[in-house]
């Protein structure tokens, strides 16, 4: 064979590449996330370039402006019809811009803005060496109790890195419920988890407990991420694609052009069932559902309280958004397989959270178990598999997040010599010592209990109604029973505050700056408005309740 013939064998097999297509990114539709990422990167530059004295104010300004601008961008997209008629898949199939995504992004941004105010609070701790300090360690890298830590405290250092960390966490949370392929979902999961692991370890008081909480969260979170990734790999092996829509078509059996390599794996239901189970397991871990909840009480108790409040609110919103999208967009064809499992998870989560909370003696652990029970109530709406189910979950998440941040903001105010007084016995008689703070906390507890005229009642009613109409009436009965159990320990705290004698050596209530007052005020306002006149917001959630595919 001649040399030219051999040469032609080598060269004609492949088409010549004339040009590589540039990715097409719709920057306007991704604006909310891009603004927050930009602010996070700017925050890192501030840490490097701005003198230490001014950093706190610059970081605060950058973060508040970015969160407000990102929220304005979400509102603009919704007003432009991207939540309803113009819903689409952006960024080359990676991100969905639709009603649920925009509603959840708006909720996360508002929750982050309110949470940011509690991060920035600097009047609660006594002045140290002439400097005002916040809830975070003076120098995170120094060993607790070491000389370098004492020197950092004496110099009046504060950890202003918490602001860019918060912004990175928010950026990941914005992408998580809007992700439209499995790889984007996983990247978003890591982007918001890693900053939270760090933030949990940064408490100024009780540093060892805080670091222990962070290590527990990191180890269990790494396991959950590994399960998620393994589930993603199996689903990719099953459907030959990372895209939600393609996987859904393969599950339904409506996929058009099947290549021979795929035909073998598509008949293999084991890949699909195990992959879906592992993926959903990773999401249930983030939600804090039983039996994947064991990290919740320890982390909520050990983390700095502002971080606990932000994490309890925003992580739940992001994780439930992602769970809804996976179940409703990727796996509707598997509904008969995942609904019974979700029934079981919802029942044990509602009852487990409510029953174990009764035994708690620490206010932060009590709120942690309460948040687990609320996860169960929200799952009842997820199980409904109707448009009402989606909108009721969206409404519940919006209502729950502000009550949670407000409640943890109140916890930061009750203090003794060792910092926050979180043991329940210390709260006895708080209603006589500080009637306003006790009354505000009582409002939040009543909302958690789902008492009428609070946002908690409107949210529970919407979720249970959707579940009942979706054929899950027994679940509603169990939900009502666990609500009654939960009401017991919320009312017990109210009785303790108002009908017990205050102890002479009891804690004091610190006078906060306008920042924490704003956070608590917003929480009370949202709780009462959504409780007394919820219809507008229920309608808003109803309009936003349709996923694009």
């Amino acid at each position: 064979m001649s040399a030219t013939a051999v040469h032609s064998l080598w060269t004609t097999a492949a088409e010549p590449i004339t040009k590589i297509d540039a990715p097409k990114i719709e920057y306007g539709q991704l604006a909310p996330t891009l603004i927050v990422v930009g602010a996070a990167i700017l925050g890192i530059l501030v840490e490097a370039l701005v003198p230490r004295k001014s950093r706190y104010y610059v970081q605060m300004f950058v973060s508040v402006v970015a969160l407000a601008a990102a929220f304005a961008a979400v509102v603009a997209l919704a007003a432009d019809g991207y939540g309803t008629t113009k819903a689409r898949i952006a960024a080359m199939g990676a991100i969905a811009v639709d009603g649920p995504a925009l509603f959840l992004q708006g909720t996360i941004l508002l929750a982050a803005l309110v949470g940011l105010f509690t991060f920035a609070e600097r009047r609660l701790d006594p002045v140290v060496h002439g400097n005002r300090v916040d809830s975070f360690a003076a120098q995170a890298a120094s060993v607790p109790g070491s000389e370098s830590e004492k020197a950092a405290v004496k110099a009046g250092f504060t950890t202003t890195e918490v602001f860019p960390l918060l912004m990175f966490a928010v950026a990941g949370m914005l992408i998580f419920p809007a992700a439209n392929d499995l790889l984007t979902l996983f990247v978003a999961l890591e982007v918001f988890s890693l900053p939270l692991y760090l933030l949990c370890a940064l408490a100024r008081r009780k540093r060892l407990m805080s670091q222990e909480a962070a290590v527990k969260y990191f180890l269990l979170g790494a396991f959950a991420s590994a399960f998620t990734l393994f589930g993603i790999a199996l689903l990719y092996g099953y459907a030959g694609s990372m895209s939600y829509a393609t996987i859904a078509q393969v599950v339904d059996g409506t996929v058009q052009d099947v290549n021979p390599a795929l035909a073998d794996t598509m008949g293999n239901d084991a890949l699909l069932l195990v992959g879906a189970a592992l993926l959903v397991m990773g999401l249930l871990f983030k939600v804090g559902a039983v039996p994947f909840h064991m990290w919740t009480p320890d982390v909520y108790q050990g983390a700095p309280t502002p971080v606990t409040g932000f994490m309890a609110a925003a992580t739940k919103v992001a994780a439930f958004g992602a769970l809804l999208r996976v179940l409703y967009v990727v796996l509707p064809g598997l509904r008969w397989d995942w609904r019974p499992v979700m029934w079981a998870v919802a029942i044990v989560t509602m009852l487990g959270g409510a029953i174990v909370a009764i035994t708690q003696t620490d206010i932060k652990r009590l709120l942690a178990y309460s948040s687990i029970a609320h996860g169960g109530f929200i799952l009842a709406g997820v199980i409904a598999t109707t448009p009402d189910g989606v909108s009721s979950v969206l409404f519940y998440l919006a209502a729950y997040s502000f009550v949670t941040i407000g409640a943890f903001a109140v916890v930061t105010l009750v203090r003794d010599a060792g910092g926050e007084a979180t043991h329940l016995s210390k709260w006895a008689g708080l209603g006589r010592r500080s009637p306003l703070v006790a009354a505000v906390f009582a409002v939040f507890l009543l909302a958690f209990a789902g008492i009428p005229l609070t946002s908690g009642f409107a949210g529970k009613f919407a979720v249970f109604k959707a579940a009942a109409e979706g054929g899950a009436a027994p679940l509603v009965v169990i939900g009502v029973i666990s609500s009654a159990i939960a009401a017991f320990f919320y009312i017990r705290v109210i009785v303790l505050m108002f009908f017990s004698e205050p102890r002479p050596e009891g804690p004091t209530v610190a006078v906060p700056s306008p920042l924490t007052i704003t956070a608590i005020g917003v929480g009370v306002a949202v709780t009462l408005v959504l409780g007394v006149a919820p219809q507008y917001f229920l309608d808003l959630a109803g309009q936003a309740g349709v996923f694009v595919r």
Side-chain angles (χ1 to χ4, degrees):
M1 193 185 278
S2 70
T4 51
V6 172
H7 182 69
S8 70
L9 281 176
W10 289 107
T11 52
T12 55
E15 288 291 315
I17 295 173
T18 48
K19 67 178 199 303
I20 296 173
D21 291 330
K24 185 169 168 294
I25 306 292
E26 296 85 345
Y27 291 104
Q29 291 159 40
L30 304 180
T33 312
L34 295 176
I35 291 169
V36 174
V37 173
I41 294 167
L42 192 60
I44 293 174
L45 294 175
V46 168
E47 285 299 315
L49 304 174
V50 172
R52 195 183 277 276
K53 278 220 161 36
S54 323
R55 274 181 213 165
Y56 166 81
Y57 299 102
V58 177
Q59 293 281 27
M60 181 74 189
F61 175 75
V62 168
S63 304
V64 169
V65 169
L67 290 172
F71 181 71
V74 168
V75 172
L77 285 171
D80 206 12
Y82 282 102
T84 47
T85 50
K86 283 194 194 170
R88 66 191 52 218
I89 307 293
M92 302 190 64
I95 299 215
V97 182
D98 58 6
L102 291 176
F103 189 94
L104 292 164
Q105 286 179 340
T107 306
I108 290 165
L109 288 164
L110 285 180
L113 188 58
V114 177
L116 180 75
F117 293 153
T118 60
F119 272 62
E121 176 59 63
R122 299 181 88 174
R123 289 222 192 134
L124 297 178
D125 267 308
V127 171
V128 181
H129 301 292
N131 297 297
R132 289 194 182 281
V133 295
D134 53 22
S135 308
F136 299 99
Q139 194 162 10
S142 55
V143 178
S146 65
E147 290 304 316
S148 63
E149 186 187 44
K150 287 172 187 159
V153 170
K154 199 166 184 180
F157 291 174
T158 53
T159 305
T160 44
E161 296 95 319
V162 294
F163 294 106
L165 283 174
L166 174 77
M167 299 308 279
F168 276 118
V170 172
M173 287 173 185
L174 293 180
I175 299 173
F176 199 50
N180 195 58
D181 71 46
L182 293 173
L183 216 51
T184 310
L185 180 84
F186 183 73
V187 171
L189 174 71
E190 293 306 303
V191 168
F192 82 78
S193 296
L194 294 172
L196 289 178
Y197 300 150
L198 287 172
L199 287 169
C200 286
L202 296 181
R204 181 173 281 269
R205 312 282 189 103
K206 300 181 182 161
R207 280 198 67 193
L208 286 172
M209 190 174 172
S210 172
Q211 290 180 357
E212 181 196 350
V215 170
K216 282 179 179 168
Y217 190 21
F218 170 66
L219 288 174
L220 289 169
F223 267 106
S225 293
F227 281 125
T228 310
L229 197 56
F230 194 42
I232 288 171
L234 292 176
L235 282 175
Y236 177 66
Y238 171 79
S241 170
M242 290 283 185
S243 159
Y244 282 8
T246 312
I247 297 171
Q249 284 173 347
V250 176
V251 173
D252 291 343
T254 54
V255 69
Q256 304 298 307
D257 47 332
V258 180
N259 66 20
L262 252 186
D264 292 340
T265 60
M266 274 166 46
N268 187 347
D269 281 351
L271 283 178
L272 170 64
L273 292 170
V274 178
L278 289 172
L279 176 63
V280 171
M281 204 159 105
L283 294 174
L284 288 175
F285 171 85
K286 276 290 168 214
V287 164
V290 179
F292 314 107
H293 67 293
M294 289 315 300
W295 60 277
T296 311
D298 291 351
V299 174
Y300 279 28
Q301 185 183 10
T305 307
V307 175
T308 308
F310 165 71
M311 195 167 77
T315 307
K316 256 204 177 33
V317 177
F320 266 112
L323 182 66
L324 274 175
R325 194 175 292 278
V326 165
L327 293 179
Y328 282 48
V329 177
V330 187
L331 303 172
L334 270 191
R335 184 178 304 172
W336 304 113
D337 295 294
W338 63 251
R339 266 191 85 172
V341 178
M342 285 296 174
W343 266 69
V345 171
I347 289 168
V348 293
T349 304
M350 288 190 285
L351 289 173
I355 291 167
V356 181
I358 293 174
T359 63
Q360 299 307 311
T361 54
D362 184 278
I363 196 84
K364 282 169 83 173
R365 285 184 84 84
L366 187 136
L367 289 175
Y369 278 106
S370 138
S371 92
I372 292 169
H374 281 282
F377 299 139
I378 301 172
L379 278 173
V382 175
I383 289 167
T385 58
T386 58
D388 277 357
V390 181
S391 57
S392 70
V393 169
L394 296 182
F395 178 83
Y396 200 123
L397 289 169
Y400 170 81
S401 51
F402 291 100
V403 182
T404 304
I405 293 176
F408 279 107
V410 174
V411 172
T412 61
L413 303 183
V414 181
R415 295 182 163 258
D416 57 16
E420 290 161 9
T422 56
H423 198 277
L424 271 180
S425 61
K426 306 259 181 83
W427 287 60
L430 190 71
R432 304 192 188 179
R433 190 166 278 157
S434 181
L436 182 63
V437 170
V440 166
F441 197 59
V443 169
F444 291 137
L445 289 174
L446 292 173
F448 281 137
I451 303 298
L453 298 184
T454 63
S455 59
F457 174 75
K460 271 187 190 160
F461 184 79
V463 167
F464 288 162
K465 177 168 172 277
E469 288 171 356
L475 199 63
V476 176
V477 175
I478 295 168
V480 172
I481 292 168
S482 43
S483 290
I485 297 170
F488 167 75
F489 59 81
Y490 296 127
I491 307 289
R492 193 183 71 184
V493 176
I494 295 174
V495 169
L496 185 75
M497 290 193 298
F498 287 101
F499 300 104
S500 302
E501 284 299 320
R503 294 186 174 188
E505 77 287 0
T508 56
V509 174
V511 178
S513 71
L515 293 168
T516 298
I517 293 172
T518 305
I520 296 172
V522 169
V524 172
V526 172
T527 303
L528 296 176
V529 169
L530 292 186
V532 177
Q535 198 54 51
Y536 170 74
F537 298 96
L538 282 166
D539 292 345
L540 198 65
Q543 289 163 10
V546 182
F547 289 102
V548 66
R549 180 168 138 188

